[in-house]
Amino acid sequence: MLTPEQRERYQRDGFLVIPGFKNPGEIAVLRRRAEEIVDAFDPTESRAIFTTKDQARASDDWFLGSDNTVRCFFEEEAFGEDGQLRQAKALSINKIGHAMHDLDPVFEAFTRDPKLAAVARGLGMEQPQVWQSMYIFKQPGIGGEVRWHQDATFFDSDPITVTTFWFALEDATVDNGCLWAEPGGHRGPLRERFLRDGDRITMEKLDATPWPDDSTAVPLEAKAGTLVCFHGLLPHYSAPNRSPVSRHAFTLHATDASSTYSPRNWIQRDAGFPVRGFWKDSE
């Protein structure tokens, strides 16, 4: 699936951009299903927001309980001073997470794709295990910033093998909050670890290496249908979306079964709900 040049580029930069990976029909089906999930979500269940400003403190029961189910989270700026939504519910949700790839047939079909399995193999993953899925809306006008981070912070393993598969479901541009990354930054250290002990979350600081800035980071603009793969140590972020255009995306995080997955990662599975890869069970 991947050419030698693509594999070399991934090793060099820590990310790979593959245009046209998903077709408009596949995207339309996923977007329609996400719309149905949001439509069915009752805001009185939870007003939990998603923020990267202080994730250890912001990780409430609603978030921690979303590890192996499907839940909605609001944008930071969704509510006004009166506590009411500032705009329609459908334009207020930050994301849906975190186990749609296993629990929802539409998201599972999008995830368990032989083409995606081939890409994972091309990136060097022997036995991918998909731990998390997120549908990210990046709403127009209020789409929140996702601060600089490394995905290995949340999916630590020995050795580090977590790989992110990020699908643009709409055109992602500098204006509406596309990803930014530091080419080659995956060769740097892991800066922090997000640790869970029961219902207690801590962010362990490991290394004081500063995050990138505009002098070294590059925007990863992507047309709808593009797949962006990146290494778990790659520093990346996305700016707030102040434009009138949303930036929907779907993302998966997988580690390799050849590595030892940390028992202190926030998402765990057991025999009753085993972690699976990109292939359907029957294949």
Side-chain angles (χ1 to χ4, degrees):
M1 186 68 194
L2 297 183
T3 66
E5 180 189 17
Q6 286 175 314
R7 289 195 291 269
E8 181 181 342
R9 192 180 311 147
Y10 181 78
Q11 294 297 323
R12 181 193 69 206
D13 295 336
F15 62 86
L16 180 65
V17 179
I18 308 175
F21 190 83
K22 292 287 190 179
N23 65 49
E26 292 172 301
I27 292 171
V29 170
L30 201 71
R31 292 190 61 179
R32 186 159 53 247
R33 180 60 187 138
E35 183 180 328
E36 292 171 354
I37 292 172
V38 170
D39 188 56
F41 169 59
D42 181 357
T44 62
E45 282 188 80
S46 171
R47 294 197 162 200
I49 64 169
F50 178 76
T51 177
T52 60
K53 289 180 180 176
D54 188 350
Q55 284 177 280
R57 187 173 299 171
S59 299
D60 59 9
D61 291 343
W62 183 257
F63 174 81
L64 293 177
S66 71
D67 51 356
N68 293 319
T69 187
V70 179
R71 291 184 174 176
C72 295
F73 298 84
F74 288 103
E75 293 280 6
E76 286 183 79
E77 300 177 22
F79 297 96
E81 292 182 3
D82 60 358
Q84 301 301 308
L85 288 174
R86 296 169 54 204
Q87 51 195 21
K89 178 180 65 173
L91 294 173
S92 303
I93 300 296
N94 170 283
K95 71 173 181 177
I96 309 169
H98 289 93
M100 300 90 73
H101 62 289
D102 281 330
L103 297 176
D104 186 279
V106 174
F107 281 90
E108 182 176 33
F110 192 95
T111 300
R112 301 215 144 82
D113 177 353
K115 283 189 356 182
L116 191 53
V119 168
R121 282 198 302 270
L123 297 177
M125 302 191 81
E126 297 174 8
Q127 189 179 343
Q129 297 180 313
V130 185
W131 294 96
Q132 174 177 274
S133 51
M134 297 188 294
Y135 189 105
I136 304 167
F137 292 86
K138 204 76 165 180
Q139 301 284 7
I142 64 167
E145 174 188 30
V146 176
R147 294 189 172 188
W148 282 103
H149 66 284
Q150 299 160 296
D151 288 346
T153 290
F154 306 95
F155 298 94
D156 187 28
S157 65
D158 184 19
I160 289 172
T161 59
V162 64
T163 305
T164 302
F165 300 85
W166 187 98
F167 303 87
L169 305 178
E170 296 181 297
D171 293 352
T173 69
V174 169
D175 290 339
N176 70 359
C178 70
L179 293 172
W180 288 70
E182 180 189 27
H186 63 302
R187 290 189 288 274
L190 180 63
R191 292 162 171 82
E192 50 194 11
R193 270 196 298 246
F194 186 80
L195 302 175
R196 179 176 185 175
D197 294 289
D199 290 335
R200 182 173 176 267
I201 291 290
T202 55
M203 187 69 85
E204 180 185 24
K205 303 298 181 182
L206 300 174
D207 192 281
T209 300
W211 294 109
D213 56 29
D214 291 347
S215 67
T216 56
V218 298
L220 304 184
E221 293 191 305
K223 292 287 187 182
T226 298
L227 168 61
V228 182
C229 309
F230 49 95
H231 191 284
L233 287 174
L234 181 76
H236 60 284
Y237 102 110
S238 64
N241 181 13
R242 300 306 183 195
S243 82
V245 180
S246 59
R247 192 225 66 185
H248 289 207
F250 180 60
T251 185
L252 299 163
H253 293 98
T255 61
D256 199 316
S258 64
S259 65
T260 302
Y261 186 78
S262 172
R264 298 185 71 191
N265 287 332
W266 83 279
I267 293 179
Q268 300 290 329
R269 294 288 185 89
D270 58 26
F273 190 25
V275 63
R276 299 161 54 204
F278 291 118
W279 288 100
K280 297 176 182 177
D281 289 342
S282 60
E283 294 179 307

